[in-house]
Amino acid sequence: MPDAYILGIESSCDETAAAVVRSGEKVVSNVVFSQIATHQPYGGVVPELASREHLRAIVPVVRKALADAGQSYQSVDALAVTQGPGLAGALLVGISYAKALAFARDKPLVAVNHLEGHIHAVLLEERQKGNHELNFPVLALVVSGGHTHLYLAERRQASWSYRNIGHTRDDAAGEAFDKVAKLLGLGYPGGPVIDKLSSHGNAKAVVFPPSQIKHPDRKEKNQPADSITRFDFSYSGIKTAVLRYVETHNLQNAIETRRRNLCTIQRPKPEDYVGNCDQQTLDLVASFQRAMVDDLIGKTLAAARFYDAATIFVTGGVAANNELRQRFERDAAMEGIPVYFPSRPLSTDNAAMIAAAAYPKFLAGDFAPLEFSAEAGMALK
Ligand code: KG4
Ligand code: ZN
């Protein structure tokens, strides 16, 4: 089988990204234009602004990805684009551009689920390291700003299928990081800042009770045999607990001062964040991160035990978190289950993962009809 070069395009949220990947196993180029600066003043992603920024960035980003790879519009073998889930207007920019390109250059076009992309980021990373062995069943935790999902992944020949066995009932884990950071005057996005600050605080200082989930859809007696046992998450409670802590410990004035100070610094460095936090806030941040990490790992390992998983994947923006990676490796090793992460650049949104996920579909001739459209709430099956 000759090598196939796939141009991937990703525009589901606040990154405009394009990449060329060879045969699902080698990143040849990977360009990510982040819109963080646009959304930062609003403390979160503004959908209308995201679409506008994608429109501005898509052509130069794709051109750069092709140039970096030494490829052209004509020389690539196929195009791949994120169909969903994501912001409808943002997805439409990537989809319209990819469709036009595929039509004009007569190239096959593959539509990819963003969550499948995150899972294939792990496979791409391992193949780049020369690791082609994989033991099934694979349990994948996709943990990002919009998702906290657990999937059992299977492969039949080249094609993959997924069964969801857990998801968040309210906020996603990344969303909780972002909301807590905003609440504490630490800006947007919150995950990377909380990650850096946590090593300066005492993670045992504030005790957060474990998340409470009622399980009406968890397998119970007398339910049909095909009902599945779920491992769901919930993160709105911990966000409220942080808010309560702020109120009961009168931290509001210190937060306002920090917010104002950090606003005056164009690109705050880790020492700027640390310098603007007292020890009580650093302890709160470290305790919050510890509680999030404990919960994510505890549920994932419980699911791995229940479903007898042979391999664990952890992927999505929150998989870039240092404490999560270290603890997952240690705790999964104690259970004798190998755990794989993408490198940090492939953990957060990128188009290399979209091109990698498209490769099995390319081999199977599973191409998108030109009339397909964005699916904001697309499920992964
Ligand atoms: O996968 P991603 O780039 O976009 C989505 O699909 O949502 O994930 C972005 C999320 C944001 O919530 C961000 O705060 C979080 O990932 N994140 C982190 C870290 N880096 C990014 N969370 C915790 N620790 C990090 N180092
Ligand atoms: Zn993502």
Side-chain angles (χ1 to χ4, degrees):
M1 166 60 82
D3 280 332
Y5 288 82
I6 298 184
L7 168 65
I9 295 173
E10 151 67 36
S11 69
S12 66
C13 190
D14 59 344
E15 267 98 16
T16 319
V20 176
V21 173
R22 192 185 70 216
S23 304
E25 62 177 23
K26 174 89 183 96
V27 180
V28 194
S29 67
N30 188 19
V31 179
V32 179
F33 171 73
S34 166
Q35 304 178 1
I36 284 176
T38 304
H39 301 289
Q40 220 149 27
Y42 306 94
V45 178
V46 183
E48 288 78 5
L49 294 184
S51 310
R52 196 184 69 191
E53 290 296 298
H54 284 308
L55 275 172
R56 281 199 182 130
I58 190 104
V59 173
V61 164
V62 170
R63 279 194 185 142
K64 179 154 171 44
L66 288 171
D68 288 357
Q71 296 281 333
S72 67
Y73 293 123
Q74 201 51 46
S75 68
V76 291
D77 295 286
L79 306 173
V81 68
T82 307
Q83 183 177 9
L87 302 169
L91 288 162
L92 275 174
V93 176
I95 291 173
S96 310
Y97 181 80
K99 275 189 192 178
L101 207 53
F103 181 72
R105 299 283 167 159
D106 198 19
K107 297 285 174 190
L109 174 59
V110 181
V112 175
N113 184 303
H114 182 82
L115 301 175
E116 184 171 25
H118 276 303
I119 292 172
H120 280 255
V122 183
L123 292 161
L124 175 58
E125 194 73 55
E126 289 308 307
R127 288 185 191 128
Q128 294 208 113
K129 291 183 199 154
N131 179 10
H132 293 263
E133 293 297 315
L134 189 61
N135 292 323
F136 288 87
V138 170
L139 177 67
L141 170 67
V142 183
V143 59
S144 69
H147 301 93
T148 309
H149 281 38
L150 276 172
Y151 293 98
L152 283 172
E154 281 176 47
R155 186 179 56 194
R156 263 181 230 103
Q157 283 150 1
S159 85
W160 286 74
S161 61
Y162 308 88
R163 184 154 65 115
N164 181 271
I165 56 148
H167 58 72
T168 179
R169 298 287 185 89
D170 38 56
D171 292 351
E175 195 180 351
F177 273 92
D178 294 338
K179 285 180 175 169
V180 164
K182 188 176 178 188
L183 186 69
L184 297 177
L186 294 166
Y188 173 85
V193 179
I194 289 180
D195 190 355
K196 289 191 188 82
L197 288 179
S198 288
S199 57
H200 297 269
N202 172 9
K204 293 189 179 140
V206 184
V207 178
F208 292 105
S211 62
Q212 297 283 327
I213 297 183
K214 296 199 179 72
H215 274 280
D217 57 347
R218 195 156 178 172
K219 191 167 89 179
E220 279 162 10
K221 277 185 203 143
N222 306 327
Q223 278 200 310
D226 64 347
S227 71
I228 57 162
T229 297
R230 304 194 58 80
F231 292 84
D232 285 348
F233 304 86
S234 166
Y235 295 119
S236 68
I238 191 167
K239 173 197 65 191
T240 312
V242 174
L243 177 62
R244 258 318 102 66
Y245 185 95
V246 164
E247 287 166 355
T248 52
H249 292 76
N250 296 319
L251 301 184
Q252 291 95 335
N253 289 343
I255 289 171
E256 213 26 65
T257 309
R258 174 162 52 248
R259 198 189 313 277
R260 274 202 305 272
N261 287 350
L262 288 172
C263 270
T264 62
I265 308 171
Q266 213 181 18
R267 276 174 200 272
K269 297 190 194 60
E271 53 270 30
D272 296 320
Y273 288 108
V274 178
N276 275 286
C277 289
D278 52 28
Q279 196 55 47
Q280 192 179 20
T281 302
L282 292 171
D283 291 348
L284 174 62
V285 164
S287 303
F288 162 76
Q289 178 170 289
R290 174 64 53 84
M292 294 295 294
V293 166
D294 282 348
D295 190 79
L296 286 165
I297 295 180
K299 298 243 168 73
T300 305
L301 290 182
R305 263 178 247 124
F306 186 88
Y307 286 103
D308 223 356
T311 308
I312 295 175
F313 287 3
V314 185
T315 185
V318 181
N321 186 274
N322 284 298
E323 188 177 352
L324 185 77
R325 292 170 91 101
Q326 283 162 13
R327 286 273 313 283
F328 240 124
E329 261 161 12
R330 190 194 72 188
D331 295 0
M334 288 198 294
E335 309 255 347
I337 311 174
V339 56
Y340 298 113
F341 301 87
S343 59
R344 283 180 179 74
L346 292 186
S347 294
T348 47
D349 285 352
N350 66 87
M353 67 186 197
I354 302 303
Y359 183 62
K361 298 182 204 297
F362 170 79
L363 291 180
D366 182 5
F367 301 124
L370 269 185
E371 63 273 15
F372 89 99
S373 192
E375 240 190 85
M378 192 176 186
L380 178 60
K381 289 187 230 100

